[in-house]
Amino acid sequence: MSRPPVTGRFAPSPTGAMHLGNARTALLAWLHSRAAGGRHLLRFEDLDVGRVRAWAYDETRRDLEWLGLDWDEEECQSLHLERYEAALARLSTYPCTCTRREILAAIEDSAGAPHGDEAVYPGTCRVRPAPSGRPAALRWRVPDWTVCVPDALSGQEACQHLRRDVGDFVLRRGDGVYAYHLAVVVDDAASGVTDVVRGADLLAASPRQVALQRALGLPTPRYLHVPLMTDFRGERLAKRGGAPPLMTLRQEGEAPGRVRAALARSLGWTVPDEVSASELLPLWQGLLAAAPA
Ligand code: GLU
């Protein structure tokens, strides 16, 4: 069966200024869509209203344009609440009022320590109904599945047993905000996204997202997790970590071709001091051709 034409996306959270690490992911997502002659979407993941900064939408658009990255359609998650509500109604959930502290205490009381880096919700409200009166989150009663997601770039596979490794996770917070995992799955399907290029920090999120796709009868896209950019100390660049915002470079008159060249070199690509976005297309194609999957 032939693959459908590629639809890719870049999905920033408009919670602050884009830094070079976000810019590299944006560049790679664009290269992937365009190298395949596919559609490319820009999706603002702006459900967490408390963290959204109104100015970040325009600055992100300007940063992307400045980098020479275009997109065919734009959407905002905050305009699609009814989609998430409809998806949520199709899943088996239960209300939960446990606080983070209560969850950690319950884990300590039970036999095991938190598995891996994440505290696995022990299912307190699954068996003991949440007291009414407190605002309740909705947790998904996760199926007894092991879900493995291959990464098309690294050839690695992320496998998780939902009950043991993840636990019943939150699909809607107590304050009514829909969870990222639910929204991303619903939107990728609604927009016909075939290929997801995103940071490697989200590889561990993919099994629960694929589980949601299966439970909702939605297609699973191809996943390509790109390495996160680190600073000279090898620490991950993060919005809060003082990484140089792209808008500062832009406003200070830096040449975008030099920034693209720096991003390309950070991936080990050999490029001249200034490079256009389309000149990088063959380098991405080369990377894909060498990928094990
Ligand atoms: N909004 C997420 C972020 O900014 C990306 C989500 C995704 O690509 O699936 O990290």
Side-chain angles (χ1 to χ4, degrees):
M1 219 170 66
S2 67
R3 275 183 200 283
V6 165
T7 295
R9 47 55 159 204
F10 176 57
S13 308
T15 55
M18 285 231 290
H19 57 67
L20 285 173
N22 308 130
R24 196 174 76 174
T25 303
L27 173 65
L28 295 178
W30 180 89
L31 286 172
H32 184 73
S33 302
R34 297 310 192 206
R39 276 197 319 147
H40 190 64
L41 314 177
L42 171 62
R43 181 169 72 224
F44 285 108
E45 303 210 322
D46 57 351
L47 290 180
D48 196 352
V49 274
R51 294 184 57 227
V52 165
R53 299 290 165 262
W55 52 265
Y57 296 86
D58 262 350
E59 294 300 342
T60 301
R61 289 186 195 102
R62 280 191 203 117
D63 283 342
L64 294 173
E65 281 164 6
W66 182 73
L67 275 178
L69 312 181
D70 61 353
W71 55 96
D72 301 304
E73 269 167 61
E74 180 186 307
E75 58 178 7
C76 289
Q77 289 189 323
S78 56
L79 300 177
H80 296 312
L81 300 186
E82 71 298 335
R83 280 186 193 170
Y84 315 128
E85 192 185 335
L88 189 65
R90 297 177 47 211
L91 296 164
S92 170
T93 59
Y94 58 88
C96 171
T97 53
C98 296
T99 61
R100 207 175 288 264
R101 183 185 299 200
E102 286 166 348
I103 293 171
L104 290 176
I107 292 170
E108 265 173 35
D109 284 350
S110 71
H115 185 87
D117 305 333
E118 262 180 85
V120 174
Y121 180 64
T124 318
C125 296
R126 190 197 258 254
V127 285
R128 178 164 54 78
S132 53
R134 277 206 248 168
L138 285 180
R139 288 185 180 271
W140 185 29
R141 205 182 293 275
V142 294
D144 192 10
W145 295 344
T146 296
V147 180
C148 291
V149 183
D151 182 86
L153 203 56
S154 66
Q156 282 174 356
E157 204 173 43
C159 283
Q160 283 166 356
H161 181 264
L162 294 181
R163 293 214 175 139
R164 190 192 58 225
D165 303 331
V166 179
D168 293 344
F169 58 95
V170 171
L171 295 183
R172 199 182 66 198
R173 293 192 332 212
D175 60 3
V177 172
Y178 290 98
Y180 155 68
H181 297 300
L182 179 69
V184 82
V185 154
V186 168
D187 285 338
D188 281 339
S191 315
V193 168
T194 59
D195 291 49
V196 171
V197 176
R198 60 184 182 187
D201 54 330
L202 291 170
L203 179 63
S206 21
R208 71 194 86 174
Q209 293 177 11
V210 170
L212 281 170
Q213 287 154 5
R214 288 187 192 159
L216 291 165
L218 302 174
T220 291
R222 210 152 71 108
Y223 287 99
L224 300 94
H225 289 91
V226 296
L228 294 180
M229 202 160 157
T230 52
D231 67 9
F232 57 92
R233 288 187 301 259
E235 278 172 31
R236 177 183 157 189
L237 293 182
K239 278 180 194 164
R240 271 169 281 177
L246 209 61
M247 61 191 249
T248 309
L249 299 174
R250 171 163 59 79
Q251 286 159 0
E252 283 173 354
E254 178 62 271
R258 288 172 60 87
V259 174
R260 284 188 293 262
L263 295 175
R265 285 176 181 169
S266 74
L267 290 157
W269 294 349
T270 307
V271 290
D273 289 345
E274 292 204 32
V275 71
S276 71
S278 50
E279 279 167 329
L280 296 173
L281 289 167
L283 290 153
W284 174 260
Q285 277 159 332
L287 196 84
L288 275 189

